[in-house]
Structures are given as structure tokens and as C-alpha cells.
Amino acid sequence: MTSERPPVPPSSASEARNGLIAVERAVADLRSGRPILLEAGGARGLVIGAEALDAESAAVLAAASPLRGRLALPGPRLSRIGAHRPLPGTLALPGIDPARVAMLALQIDARLDAPVSPADPLDVAALELLRIALLLPAAVVAPVDPDATFADLLFVADGDILAFRGRQAKALRIVGRAPVPLEGAPETEFIVFRGGEGLRDQVAIIVGKPDLSGTVPVRLHSACLTGDLFGSLKCDCGDQLRDTVARMAEGSGGILLYLDQEGRGNGIANKMRAYGLQAQGYDTYDADEVLGFGLDQRRFDFAAEMLRQLGVAKVQLITNNPEKIAALRASGLEVAAEQRVLGRHTKENARYLASKRDRAGHFIEAESAANGTD
């Protein structure tokens, strides 16, 4: 790799946009298995996701860094493998060994084999970038000299990473809209927004002709491929989606926001990993913790911005999730009323619903959860 200083970040009004672009490019590189050059707290390091580390990339990182590499892990994963700490930390990698990294980051029954050091800003930024990329939050970090640059690696700064989600919300814009008649809801319009969260676009579905100047029935619905499209019995997402649209169509209308937040914001690949763990006996939150995720990675500030751009200021929120209610209120919208939404009773989703009630505070009746409904 040849060395060359990256361009000085601009200080003009285009800085936020350039920062968005830098993070999006870094996300693309990490998802393709390429390391990136990250700067944070005056330090620089080469970073790659643990799940992408192989012998070739390990050799690249080891050759580029005269210092010892380390594995950065979030608090939930560290707690699972024996550290019992809520904060992220690092384990030294005297040699960047892909097999050891895979064991510490991925193996279900892994145990700590070295002391844990506190994470520094470089580690924190690396883990956040992996979360944005919907990759497993486990980062191999190879510190390099602060003046080192690598012309063939993408450069990104921690300020842009940590500001990314907020900037995405502010950059939301409508890019397409059209009437799309649905079964049982023939008067429906789909409005597509670019930005927000995840790696795709967000969709606002206006059902009927709601009075946008009054209290508008609204549901924030996180995408669930398995439940929404295939009718999975493991969750109640598809039932909530279809029941909400039918209820709006039969009433005075409403708005359903279909948000790119698969697997509580962890992405479809990590959701399937969690499902694999659930098949082995873990509940939905324990499975996510094994993978290094907290209770919920989602944010809803951009959903509030979507509603504002549609002219909505007051909502009747159709949800069982107290976090959605709090998020819209914190974003300046008035939640004038709440309404619960129910799903099917199945033996497959009983534990899932009980876990949401008991561990995340969802408003689900005890009897309903025991029988498998939301």
C-alpha cells in the first residue's frame, strides 16, 4: 500500500453531505470485506469486520501496523463470554489470528482468553460503523501511525460516523410517489423517502384520505421479511401490518410508515443468526446479546421527520411499543392517543411475545402473551 494524505475535510456547508458520502462508502467497503482507514481521537487504525477477516486480510493488517492489533467487542458480547461489563472493550491480538477472532466474536460457547481493556474512541467508532453497515458488531482494529495514510483504502473520521444517523434523518427527501390500490384498501398512495436508516429507502403508505390537520392514525412498522411477506409464525409482524391497513381503510384513513429496520435494526443476516440461536433455546433478546446487540438498535427520529414532511403534527399511534411513543414525543410530535394492535395466537410466537412484554416493556396482556398474541 502506498501512502498519501487524504484530502482535508471541507469546512463549508457541504461538510455534512461529504461526511454522509464518506460513511456510505466505508459501509460499502466493509460489507464487501475490505478494510478501511478510520481516524478517531487523534489516532488512526485499519478496521475490518471480524466476520470478514481471513488469512489474506489478516496479513494486510499485520503488515500495515507495527503495533499490536486488537478485537473490539460491544458490552453485550463481552458479558456473554465472561467479562460481565456493560461497556465495549478490546482484547489484544498479538498476532491477528482469524481462527481466534472468529472464536471470540462468533462462537456461542466462547470464553475470554485474555484481559479486557477499555475501548477508546477508535474502537467505539469502528463498532458503530459496523452497526450502520448491518454487520456483526465485532471489529478488528490495527492501529497505525497518526500520520499514516493509505491511498488504496477509504478514509473516514469518527465525527462523520457518529453524526451519520442524525444527518440521514435531516437529509430525508421524497423521491417518488404513486397510487397503489391494495386488497381491502383500494385508495392508497405509496410515498418513497430516501435516507433515514438502514440501507434502503423508507415508505409512507397513506391509506384513504386522513385529515392531516387533525389527529392522524399512524403506525411505525419495521420491515420484517419473514413475517410480512412469508407469514412466519415466529412473530406477529405480518398480522400487525395487515390489520393496521385494514383498520385504517375501514375508518377515516391513516398513515403506515414502512421502515428499513429488519431484526430490530440488526439487518436480515443477523436476524437469521438470531433465529438460529432461538432454535437452540435462546429467547429473542438473549440471542441478540450473544451476537453483541442490545435490546433494540432502532431509532425513530427519521420517522417523525417523514410525518412532518407529510404535514402531520398530531398522531394516534398504533403500537404496543413504548419506545416508539417516547421517540415521537421527543421529536416534537404530539401523540394525542394510543391504540394497541393484535396478532395471531400461535405456540411459535408465545415466548417471543412474552419476552417483548417482560424485557422490553411492550404493552401486551399477560394472558395474550402466554397464549401467543400481541
Side-chain angles (χ1 to χ4, degrees):
M1 286 183 281
T2 57
S3 295
E4 178 182 303
R5 280 197 175 278
V8 176
S11 56
S12 66
S14 65
E15 181 177 357
R17 175 171 173 77
N18 289 341
L20 274 171
I21 293 171
V23 175
E24 288 168 352
R25 288 176 175 172
V27 162
D29 276 12
L30 287 172
R31 287 180 63 83
S32 68
R34 283 173 51 82
I36 55 99
L37 177 62
L38 192 154
E39 182 177 77
R44 287 190 175 184
L46 303 186
V47 172
I48 192 170
E51 63 183 291
L53 186 74
D54 56 17
E56 181 179 353
S57 56
V60 169
L61 267 63
S65 175
L67 308 174
R68 290 182 174 181
R70 58 184 184 258
L71 175 64
L73 294 173
R77 177 62 184 175
L78 287 170
S79 295
R80 276 285 163 178
I81 63 175
H84 306 296
R85 55 180 287 139
L87 300 176
T90 66
L91 291 96
L93 299 175
I96 301 180
D97 177 6
R100 178 168 177 256
V101 167
M103 181 274 291
L104 290 167
L106 298 167
Q107 190 172 308
I108 297 173
D109 58 353
R111 303 304 296 171
L112 287 173
D113 62 1
V116 178
S117 300
D120 68 15
L122 197 63
D123 307 311
V124 171
L127 290 172
E128 175 64 8
L129 186 57
L130 289 171
R131 292 189 191 97
I132 293 169
L134 303 181
L135 297 172
L136 199 70
V140 178
V141 180
V144 296
D145 187 277
D147 293 324
T149 58
F150 302 89
D152 51 345
L153 291 186
L154 192 141
F155 171 83
V156 63
D158 67 329
D160 290 326
I161 295 170
L162 301 179
F164 181 75
R165 296 179 191 267
R167 287 172 174 172
Q168 272 194 317
K170 293 179 181 178
L172 267 170
R173 67 191 189 281
I174 294 174
V175 295
R177 60 193 303 165
V180 181
L182 303 178
E183 182 178 358
E187 192 174 22
T188 302
E189 182 182 19
F190 278 50
I191 303 173
V192 179
F193 288 77
R194 184 139 302 151
E197 189 163 275
L199 301 178
R200 298 189 300 274
D201 297 329
Q202 319 297 335
V203 182
I205 302 161
I206 301 182
V207 180
K209 295 291 185 182
D211 178 7
L212 301 184
S213 65
T215 301
V216 182
V218 167
R219 172 161 174 79
L220 314 184
H221 189 92
S222 299
C224 175
L225 175 70
T226 49
D228 297 343
L229 186 57
F230 292 100
S232 168
L233 300 178
K234 286 180 62 64
C235 67
D236 57 345
C237 303
D239 291 341
Q240 291 184 334
L241 174 66
R242 285 175 278 278
D243 178 73
T244 298
V245 172
R247 187 184 303 178
M248 289 176 176
E250 292 167 0
S252 58
I255 300 175
L256 185 142
L257 301 187
Y258 197 77
L259 310 175
D260 180 21
Q261 297 175 320
E262 187 79 48
R264 290 195 293 270
N266 300 339
I268 186 65
N270 290 317
K271 176 179 173 178
M272 288 302 105
R273 286 174 169 144
Y275 271 16
L277 292 169
Q278 289 174 43
Q280 299 179 47
Y282 293 87
D283 78 10
T284 180
Y285 295 110
D286 283 336
D288 282 351
E289 188 177 74
V290 169
L291 297 173
F293 295 106
L295 286 181
D296 200 326
Q297 317 312 311
R298 293 174 294 178
R299 292 174 51 160
F300 300 102
D301 51 348
F302 71 95
E305 178 60 25
M306 291 171 69
L307 292 170
R308 274 192 287 270
Q309 291 191 27
L310 294 174
V312 176
K314 184 187 300 187
V315 304
Q316 174 191 358
L317 197 58
I318 303 171
T319 186
N320 304 326
N321 187 346
E323 291 298 324
K324 293 180 180 179
I325 299 166
L328 287 194
R329 284 180 171 151
S331 296
L333 293 183
E334 180 181 349
V335 180
E338 305 166 21
Q339 189 172 8
R340 307 297 170 233
V341 57
L342 305 178
R344 283 175 291 177
H345 300 228
T346 76
K347 64 180 180 1
E348 291 87 355
N349 67 20
R351 188 180 184 191
Y352 165 75
L353 295 172
S355 295
K356 288 206 298 184
R357 178 199 66 207
D358 297 339
R359 300 189 62 178
H362 285 221
F363 302 122
I364 301 172
E365 294 296 330
E367 182 179 353
S368 298
N371 291 323
T373 190
D374 183 357

